[in-house]
Amino acid sequence: MPQDHPYLHLPVPADAPFELKPSPINGWGAFATRRIEQGAVIFSEKPLFVIPKPFEQITGWDVRLAFQKLPPRSKQNFLRLRNHASGHVANMESVMGENSFQVASEADAERGLRQYGMFLIHSRMNHSCVPNTKLPLTTTGAEEFRTYAVRDIAVGEEITICYKSDFEGRPREERHLALQFECHCKACQLGTPYQRISDIRRRLIRAMQYLRRRKDLDGQTDHSRSPVIADPKLKRDAETFNIPLTSRLVYALLRIYLLEQEGLLDQLKLDSLLPTIRMIAKKFGTEENARIARLALAKGTWVDTLCAAFEFFGRPDKEVARVAASLRALHEM
C-alpha cells in the first residue's frame, strides 16, 4: 500500500471499524478491521458542504463557491479527492459528481425537493447492488449520514453501499446505465443463474410497487411503450385504485418475500414496509378475509405468510369501494 497516498490522510476516526486501502472492486475502498454485527452503526459523517439543487442543475460555479467557503483543512481534504489514486487531477464538477449523495429531510423528500452533500469518507465506499450496509438517503435533518450493517460483516471484508435508491426494482442493464460503470456483484455477473433470477425478481418488485401505489420508480404514472404492467385491465385497475384489498395484501407480501430472496430486506426496509401491511390487514370488512389475513401474518416466515395469503387472492371485500375512494381522495390532495 502506498505510504503517501492522499486517501491515507483523510479524517477517518481512530475508532472507526474500517480502514481505507486499494480495492479489488475499484480504486480504493473501506475494509472492516473488526467484526461488525448486523444492525450496528458503522460510521456517521457530516458533509463538507451541501448544494441545495437537484444534481443535474449543479454547476461548476456552485461547487467552486461552496469550496471557497470551506475552512483550510476541509479545502485540503477536498483536494485529496481531486487528486486521487490515478494521479489525475479532476475538475471540481467531477469531484462533486463522484463523491456526493442526495440528502434531504423526510418532509423535503415528500415534496420532491433535492439537494446533494459532499462526503469525504462515505464516497470512498464502493458500490454493490447487493450491499452489506444501508445508507438511508433521507435523514431527519440532512446533516449527517449514518451507515448501518444490514448483515454481519467479517474482518477484512469490504464494506459496500448501493449508490442508487431505486435499484431494488431495476434489472442489471438499467442499473449499469444509471451507474455509468460496470458492477461485478453477484447480481451483475452476466449470464449466471443468480443474475437471471435476480433480474426477474427486481422486475417483479417494481411491478408490485406499481400495483399498490400506481406509481413507477420515478414517482410518475407509467406511460411508456414497455409498461411495467403489461395487462391493460390490471394496469387500469391499479391507476384507478380498483385493486381488491385481498390482492393489495398479496402484492405487498410478495414484494417483501422478493426483497428477502434478493438479499435486500434489512431491518430498516422492513420497518418501512410493515405499517402498510398492518394497515391493509386491518381494513378488511369481510370477516373471513380478516381471519385469513390474521392467520397469514401470524406465520413465522415470509414465504409461509405469502402462501397463506394466496388463499384469498382477488376475493371481494365489502370495504373495497370505501378504501378505493379514500385512496383517490389522498391522491387528489
Side-chain angles (χ1 to χ4, degrees), residues 75-92:
K75 285 182 178 178
Q76 188 177 32
N77 285 327
F78 180 95
L79 293 174
R80 284 176 175 137
L81 300 186
R82 190 180 179 195
N83 184 13
H84 54 72
S86 67
H88 171 65
V89 179
N91 60 41
M92 288 191 172

Side-chain angles (χ1 to χ4, degrees), residues 40-270:
V41 176
I42 297 174
F43 182 61
S44 298
E45 181 184 19
K46 292 184 177 181
L48 274 182
F49 55 78
V50 174
I51 297 179
K53 286 184 176 182
F55 183 77
E56 61 274 12
Q57 296 179 14
I58 295 176
T59 65
W61 172 253
D62 293 322
V63 182
R64 285 189 289 274
L65 185 62
F67 172 79
Q68 290 302 326
K69 294 179 180 179
L70 293 174
R73 181 171 294 181
S74 294
K75 285 182 178 178
Q76 188 177 32
N77 285 327
F78 180 95
L79 293 174
R80 284 176 175 137
L81 300 186
R82 190 180 179 195
N83 184 13
H84 54 72
S86 67
H88 171 65
V89 179
N91 60 41
M92 288 191 172
E93 298 97 308
S94 296
V95 177
M96 182 70 186
E98 294 172 2
N99 301 282
S100 63
F101 293 92
Q102 182 177 338
V103 294
S105 67
E106 294 289 350
D108 285 347
E110 285 294 322
R111 295 197 300 270
L113 301 178
R114 291 181 291 159
Q115 54 185 357
Y116 282 78
M118 174 77 182
F119 291 86
L120 290 173
I121 310 302
H122 274 106
S123 59
R124 306 277 54 76
M125 296 177 181
N126 277 313
H127 166 83
S128 172
C129 300
V130 190
N132 54 22
T133 70
K134 186 71 169 283
L135 181 63
L137 295 185
T138 55
T139 63
T140 53
E143 292 298 326
E144 188 174 65
F145 264 6
R146 290 186 174 185
T147 309
Y148 298 82
V150 297
R151 60 172 175 78
D152 292 345
I153 301 174
V155 176
E157 184 178 350
E158 182 163 5
I159 296 169
T160 57
I161 60 178
C162 184
Y163 288 175
K164 301 289 184 178
S165 61
D166 62 359
F167 273 14
E168 67 181 36
R170 296 194 183 278
R172 177 187 183 276
E173 183 178 0
E174 290 184 19
R175 298 197 302 269
H176 284 204
L177 285 173
L179 290 170
Q180 298 184 345
F181 63 80
E182 191 167 351
C183 176
H184 297 284
C185 73
K186 65 179 182 179
C188 288
Q189 293 175 15
L190 188 62
T192 63
Y194 187 95
Q195 180 265 318
R196 290 194 291 266
I197 294 172
S198 171
D199 275 7
I200 294 170
R201 281 195 290 248
R202 294 187 189 228
R203 287 191 177 99
L204 285 170
I205 288 168
R206 182 177 182 178
M208 294 308 101
Q209 173 180 305
Y210 198 89
L211 289 173
R212 293 186 306 106
R213 300 178 58 194
R214 73 180 291 274
K215 293 180 180 179
D216 201 1
L217 299 175
D218 59 1
Q220 304 299 314
T221 301
D222 178 26
H223 298 294
S224 67
R225 292 184 178 180
S226 300
V228 178
I229 306 299
D231 184 289
K233 182 181 183 304
L234 185 59
K235 185 172 184 291
R236 185 169 59 253
D237 286 346
E239 293 170 0
T240 55
F241 303 104
N242 284 319
I243 298 290
L245 275 178
T246 50
S247 298
R248 284 187 178 278
L249 183 59
V250 170
Y251 296 150
L253 292 172
L254 179 56
R255 184 184 179 196
I256 286 181
Y257 171 69
L258 291 167
L259 287 167
E260 181 183 54
Q261 292 299 298
E262 194 65 6
L264 301 176
L265 186 65
D266 56 84
Q267 192 59 47
L268 288 172
K269 188 70 176 179
L270 187 57

